[in-house]
Amino acid sequence: MEPLERYRPIVDDFEAFLDACERPLGNAVRVNTIKASVDRATTVLEEEGVGYEGVDWNPRVLRLETDSPGSTWSSFHGFTHGQEEVSAVPATVLEPEPGERVWDCCAAPGGKATQLAALMDDRGTVVANDSNLGRISALRFNAERLGATSLAVTNDDARNYSLERFDFDEFDRALVDAPCSCEGTIRKNPDALDGWSEGYLDEVSGIQKGVLGRAVQATREGGTVVYSTCTFAPEENEAVVQHALDREDCRIVDFDLELEHSPGLTEWNDEEYDDHLEQTARIYPHQNDTGGFFVAKLEVTA
């Protein structure tokens, strides 16, 4: 837990934050509305004897009373998909519409990409890309199990992604759920902080800046880009968004989020950030009994 001490000045009720980080995370699933309505999925869970509880902020997310959410009948048949509750936030904030062209830049293993497809009623195109070839098989498996026929899977480096393979030259929306130091996953991955170093933050933030920059470039004027991580480090969050504001044609926009959260930072150590970064969201584990996350919403301006 020692690396988390650096966040004591920015986290309200820091002791509650640490206590939450030390507690195991419960299991949650997302109802896959491509295959089943929420009512149908919950009926199946009841028939199977699996207890569940809905969450207030998203009717498609359920907390399950089982240690094996991926072993249920509803999961096997694609009615539900095991997905951490807070992990469902970025696609919800992106608000894709049926018929649009959407790019999930770092998509494997496919939880958010298939969520995007479901939000679009599986109509349109979701380009689910990942640079890690070893994770593509999981992405394809989940797309098939969940019946997401609108997905096109690609294996490329998002930092220099080319649209020449498509018959269009820009996306309507893009999701950058970036590779990160994963500090916010400590409740389900107790070894998440092993090997943590500020040097790694510098390394991974360079990748994040490249991916977010390319996402903005590949999205049409007036389109939306959502940037998210499952970490607390400002170097990977506000600093990355600030880099995009400084170098790309985009602006931060506000969004509604019914989960309890804290505003983004406008300063960290000796760095100062745009005041609009307060419109981003920091979700800490103790606020909603979830993992940790950061979410920012951008509008492309040119």
Side-chain angles (χ1 to χ4, degrees):
M1 293 292 177
E2 183 177 347
L4 300 183
E5 282 290 333
R6 70 198 299 258
Y7 306 125
R8 185 179 288 273
I10 64 172
V11 178
D12 291 335
D13 201 347
F14 188 74
E15 296 308 319
F17 165 77
L18 285 183
D19 287 346
C21 288
E22 292 174 345
R23 292 196 306 270
L25 186 66
N27 290 305
V29 297
R30 172 178 54 81
V31 175
N32 173 36
T33 52
I34 295 174
K35 283 196 169 184
S37 66
V38 174
D39 286 345
R40 174 63 174 142
T42 54
T43 296
V44 168
L45 289 169
E46 290 169 2
E47 292 173 348
E48 197 175 359
V50 178
Y52 66 87
E53 178 186 7
V55 301
D56 293 336
W57 71 277
N58 189 329
R60 302 185 185 194
V61 175
L62 307 172
R63 295 185 176 187
L64 294 197
E65 298 172 8
T66 175
D67 293 331
S68 304
S71 300
T72 62
W73 190 98
S74 63
S75 176
F76 181 79
H77 289 278
F79 287 13
T80 59
H81 177 69
Q83 186 170 344
E84 187 180 346
E85 179 180 342
V86 76
S87 181
V89 169
T92 304
V93 172
L94 188 62
E95 298 181 298
E97 297 285 344
E100 289 187 328
R101 296 162 178 160
V102 180
W103 183 25
D104 187 347
C105 305
C106 311
K112 297 177 184 68
T114 53
Q115 182 184 4
L116 292 169
L119 290 170
M120 296 164 62
D121 298 331
D122 205 27
R123 293 188 285 124
T125 301
V126 177
V127 176
N129 177 73
D130 204 273
S131 63
N132 188 334
L133 182 60
R135 288 161 58 88
I136 291 293
S137 59
L139 173 57
R140 286 177 172 157
F141 171 79
N142 283 321
E144 292 174 4
R145 181 177 61 87
L146 299 173
T149 61
S150 59
L151 256 68
V153 177
T154 62
N155 171 221
D156 213 337
D157 187 334
R159 291 173 291 182
N160 46 37
Y161 196 82
S162 173
L163 275 70
E164 291 184 357
R165 71 197 83 192
F166 305 116
D167 60 0
F168 56 87
D169 58 7
E170 57 187 3
F171 293 99
D172 296 298
R173 302 175 197 259
L175 173 61
V176 182
D177 186 56
C180 67
S181 59
C182 300
E183 296 167 340
T185 70
I186 191 168
R187 297 186 64 184
K188 66 175 181 179
N189 300 316
D191 59 352
L193 300 180
D194 293 356
W196 184 98
S197 70
E198 292 192 15
Y200 178 70
L201 300 187
D202 293 337
E203 177 184 340
V204 74
S205 66
I207 297 172
Q208 294 160 344
K209 290 171 183 176
V211 177
L212 180 55
R214 182 64 189 127
V216 173
Q217 295 164 8
T219 302
R220 64 170 175 81
E221 182 178 355
T224 302
V225 176
V226 165
Y227 175 77
S228 62
T229 73
C230 55
T231 197
F232 309 119
E235 295 91 339
E236 300 180 68
N237 294 330
E238 289 88 353
V240 173
V241 176
Q242 184 66 57
H243 185 272
L245 295 177
D246 292 340
R247 290 165 175 76
E248 308 296 341
D249 295 317
C250 62
R251 68 183 185 94
I252 295 174
V253 293
D254 202 3
F255 57 91
D256 294 326
L257 181 60
E258 295 184 25
L259 276 172
E260 184 180 347
H261 61 280
S262 299
L265 306 178
T266 56
E267 60 180 337
W268 168 252
N269 291 343
D270 296 328
E271 297 291 327
E272 293 188 359
Y273 308 127
D274 191 293
D275 288 344
H276 289 94
L277 274 153
E278 286 189 341
Q279 295 175 295
T280 64
R282 291 180 149 264
I283 305 170
Y284 295 116
H286 64 294
Q287 292 174 319
N288 308 279
D289 195 20
T290 65
F293 238 78
F294 172 85
V295 185
K297 188 173 187 177
L298 304 174
E299 179 185 339
V300 179
T301 56

